[in-house]
Amino acid sequence: MTQIRTDNQPVTQITVVDSEPDKQAEALSVMTERARFMARQPGFISISLHRSLDGRRIVNYVQWQNRDLLRLAHQSPEFRKEWGHFDQLTDEIDPNLYEVAQVIDSGQ
């Protein structure tokens, strides 16, 4: 389950993927298959995939127990096997690591 909090937080990677609207669905399909693989890897907490309504972006919100386990999962040959095909579906891939700075919710 996704954890968004400022104390004892996991590592969070947010990746913004740009693609043409006619390629968004296929890119999302490849990302979904990768997410299913990642869900079986050590340190996995959650992955949330978001698609923009204009069809031009996919945002991948990943949470992992720590950076080292996330790095190992990304280096797996099974994770990388569709990389060339995925590059054909995307214009730009921008992954970055984040930490939660503030959480404001409805208090419910």
Side-chain angles (χ1 to χ4, degrees):
M1 174 175 281
T2 304
Q3 303 171 20
I4 302 177
R5 56 190 218 217
T6 57
D7 65 320
N8 194 25
Q9 58 184 285
V11 64
T12 299
Q13 177 179 312
I14 300 173
T15 303
V16 178
V17 176
D18 292 327
S19 68
E20 294 300 317
D22 63 330
K23 295 180 181 177
Q24 185 193 51
E26 190 174 357
L28 185 58
S29 177
V30 172
M31 291 177 76
T32 299
E33 285 303 310
R34 284 185 174 168
R36 288 187 179 118
F37 165 77
M38 295 296 264
R40 299 186 310 268
Q41 303 311 300
F44 173 82
I45 296 173
S46 72
I47 293 177
S48 300
L49 295 168
H50 307 259
R51 64 176 166 227
S52 67
L53 298 180
D54 66 2
R56 298 196 170 274
R57 280 173 237 44
I58 300 167
V59 175
N60 186 10
Y61 186 93
V62 176
Q63 289 191 313
W64 225 262
Q65 288 176 358
N66 63 56
R67 285 182 184 195
D68 292 335
L69 290 174
L70 177 60
R71 186 177 308 112
L72 283 174
H74 278 136
Q75 292 172 350
S76 163
E78 186 174 342
F79 176 79
R80 295 193 165 280
K81 73 179 178 181
E82 293 291 328
W83 204 263
H85 177 64
F86 188 64
D87 281 346
Q88 294 172 4
L89 300 172
T90 60
D91 297 327
E92 185 176 344
I93 303 169
D94 185 21
N96 290 284
L97 296 180
Y98 295 87
E99 65 180 14
V100 178
Q102 295 291 323
V103 175
I104 300 169
D105 60 27
S106 66
Q108 298 175 356

